[in-house]
Amino acid sequence: MKKKVLATVLASMMVFSLAACAPKAAAPAPAPTATEEKKDATTETPTEAPTVGVLIYKYDDTYISTVRNALETALNGKAEVIMQDGKGDQATQNDQLDVLIEKGVNVLCVNMVDAKAASGVVEKAKAAGIPTVFFNREPDAEVVKSYDKAVFIGTNAADAGKMQGDIIKDLFDKNPAYDINGDGKVQYVMFQGEPDNPEAIARTKYSVDQAVADGVQMDQVGETQVCNWDTEQAQKAMEAMLAANEGKIELVIANNDGMAIGCIAALTNIGYNVEGGDKFVPVVGVDATDAAKDAIAKGTMSATVLQDGEAMGNAIAQVALNAAAGADFLEGTSYEFDESGVAVRIPYAPYTGE
Ligand code: CA
């Protein structure tokens, strides 16, 4: 349904050749002479790989580890990479930023520890004239817009919900028995992260909207359960839901895996979703946490939604190489800016353990 943004080899190669004429090559270029100004394109300039400075908010983060591994792989042979671990401390990251600027990197890729501190990064990068690719932890759009050489690469909250909707469609197509009462509709319960959190609201809304758009008839059981992303709160709420509606719930949708796991615990307590058991209510979450992956592997949970770290790393690499080469951020890539004009959104990916 959603077209996945794929890095093309062609784009990378193009970027690579552009990098060869980067105006900010690290090595000092000899002063131009009259002979060099002749229009002789046959003489190959020795390739100067750009230097990419990468600041990571902390290495000890499962998702971000995937991103940086993909980024390193994508830059391998195309750039020199200097990567730093901010260890979850903004002051540390600020120092690392100073060092990278001092080293004269050609482009900065910044995963902010504190997204609110991004204006300080922009200020320094701007003063040094270094293009900056923010990723994952999103600075205020105005901050990104304040520097014409800044861009943001992240995800889109609505996408996680839409992906859940597509998963629901697929689950019920493949498993007609999930429609316990056989009415052709999916009786579902919804577990929301927080009442006013835009991410939570978007996931709740778009999961159902997308399933409906895919042709699934959705029928909510009870009120939306707001459980603050929390496993225990979700378990208690699910226990209450089951006490009132056992046998009438055909699907659990949770804004995150933490709550999904709590719902599964409540189900397991009354004999549902037991490994190898025959009573089962599909549960769909978001995040692809280890607990969720484990539950999916055991068959006690149906699916989750994964932030596609590999796609993110590839996107950062392409955009950064363009920037280092003095080209437009998205030149020769398949990426597009969203309505802000400064952000690229990488789609989520379904995770069903298959
Ligand atoms: Ca039904």
Side-chain angles (χ1 to χ4, degrees), residues 105-191:
V105 296
N106 300 100
V107 58
L108 286 162
C109 299
V110 184
N111 173 213
M112 295 297 305
V113 172
D114 176 4
K116 292 189 185 75
S119 54
V121 175
V122 163
E123 217 168 276
K124 288 178 179 173
K126 201 173 183 176
I130 303 173
T132 304
V133 181
F134 290 102
F135 65 96
N136 172 244
R137 294 156 77 89
E138 187 163 10
D140 194 278
E142 294 312 311
V143 172
V144 182
K145 283 179 188 171
S146 73
Y147 180 29
D148 63 352
K149 288 182 185 168
V151 68
F152 173 72
I153 301 178
T155 53
N156 182 328
D159 280 350
K162 287 179 183 173
M163 193 65 68
Q164 283 185 311
D166 290 341
I167 288 168
I168 292 163
K169 159 74 173 166
D170 197 45
L171 278 176
F172 281 80
D173 274 356
K174 285 184 180 158
N175 305 281
Y178 286 173
D179 181 8
I180 297 168
N181 63 359
D183 68 349
K185 297 177 188 172
V186 175
Q187 276 72 35
Y188 72 94
V189 290
M190 175 66 75
F191 283 77

Side-chain angles (χ1 to χ4, degrees), residues 53-77:
V54 185
L55 297 176
I56 300 288
Y57 100 95
K58 61 172 181 178
Y59 280 10
D60 182 21
D61 176 300
T62 311
Y63 168 68
I64 290 299
S65 296
T66 317
V67 175
R68 66 187 169 88
N69 289 337
L71 176 60
E72 277 183 323
T73 305
L75 290 175
N76 189 26

Side-chain angles (χ1 to χ4, degrees), residues 16-345:
F16 184 38
S17 62
L18 282 169
C21 1
K24 282 189 239 170
T33 63
T35 51
E36 280 173 7
E37 281 172 19
K38 66 182 178 182
K39 288 177 183 172
D40 183 1
T42 56
T43 316
E44 283 272 318
T45 313
T47 302
E48 282 291 346
T51 304
V52 179
V54 185
L55 297 176
I56 300 288
Y57 100 95
K58 61 172 181 178
Y59 280 10
D60 182 21
D61 176 300
T62 311
Y63 168 68
I64 290 299
S65 296
T66 317
V67 175
R68 66 187 169 88
N69 289 337
L71 176 60
E72 277 183 323
T73 305
L75 290 175
N76 189 26
K78 301 192 178 82
E80 189 197 329
V81 181
I82 307 173
M83 199 177 282
Q84 301 283 319
D85 180 4
K87 297 177 179 168
D89 183 63
Q90 189 56 53
T92 299
Q93 188 169 67
N94 290 343
D95 291 344
Q96 292 168 339
L97 173 71
D98 292 341
V99 172
L100 291 183
I101 290 174
E102 183 73 18
K103 282 182 191 283
V105 296
N106 300 100
V107 58
L108 286 162
C109 299
V110 184
N111 173 213
M112 295 297 305
V113 172
D114 176 4
K116 292 189 185 75
S119 54
V121 175
V122 163
E123 217 168 276
K124 288 178 179 173
K126 201 173 183 176
I130 303 173
T132 304
V133 181
F134 290 102
F135 65 96
N136 172 244
R137 294 156 77 89
E138 187 163 10
D140 194 278
E142 294 312 311
V143 172
V144 182
K145 283 179 188 171
S146 73
Y147 180 29
D148 63 352
K149 288 182 185 168
V151 68
F152 173 72
I153 301 178
T155 53
N156 182 328
D159 280 350
K162 287 179 183 173
M163 193 65 68
Q164 283 185 311
D166 290 341
I167 288 168
I168 292 163
K169 159 74 173 166
D170 197 45
L171 278 176
F172 281 80
D173 274 356
K174 285 184 180 158
N175 305 281
Y178 286 173
D179 181 8
I180 297 168
N181 63 359
D183 68 349
K185 297 177 188 172
V186 175
Q187 276 72 35
Y188 72 94
V189 290
M190 175 66 75
F191 283 77
Q192 182 161 321
E194 289 166 85
D196 303 318
N197 179 298
E199 185 93 20
I201 291 167
R203 289 180 186 181
T204 296
K205 175 178 164 47
Y206 289 103
S207 57
V208 176
D209 284 3
Q210 183 69 29
V212 170
D214 288 345
V216 182
Q217 294 188 64
M218 299 293 284
D219 183 14
Q220 185 166 10
V221 176
E223 299 289 312
T224 295
Q225 307 292 303
V226 177
C227 295
N228 301 301
W229 313 106
D230 185 74
T231 301
E232 268 180 52
Q233 283 186 41
Q235 180 173 345
K236 286 194 179 116
M238 186 63 184
E239 281 166 359
M241 288 292 264
L242 285 166
N245 303 288
E246 192 195 337
K248 296 174 188 164
I249 297 168
E250 300 175 343
L251 170 70
V252 176
I253 308 172
N255 284 172
N256 76 335
D257 286 339
M259 294 189 294
I261 292 298
C263 291
I264 291 167
L267 284 161
T268 306
N269 284 347
I270 58 163
Y272 286 79
N273 298 42
V274 177
E275 231 183 309
D278 55 355
K279 291 200 287 184
F280 183 75
V281 174
V283 178
V284 179
V286 175
D287 280 344
T289 61
D290 286 344
K293 287 185 189 171
D294 189 42
I296 290 167
K298 285 179 180 158
T300 59
M301 180 169 170
S302 291
T304 184
V305 174
L306 173 78
Q307 289 198 56
D308 193 343
E310 212 163 300
M312 175 76 74
N314 286 330
I316 298 162
Q318 289 190 53
V319 170
L321 288 171
N322 267 346
D328 285 343
F329 282 119
L330 307 188
E331 191 169 307
T333 74
S334 54
Y335 306 108
E336 288 173 4
F337 284 119
D338 69 1
E339 63 283 355
S340 73
V342 294
V344 173
R345 306 287 170 181

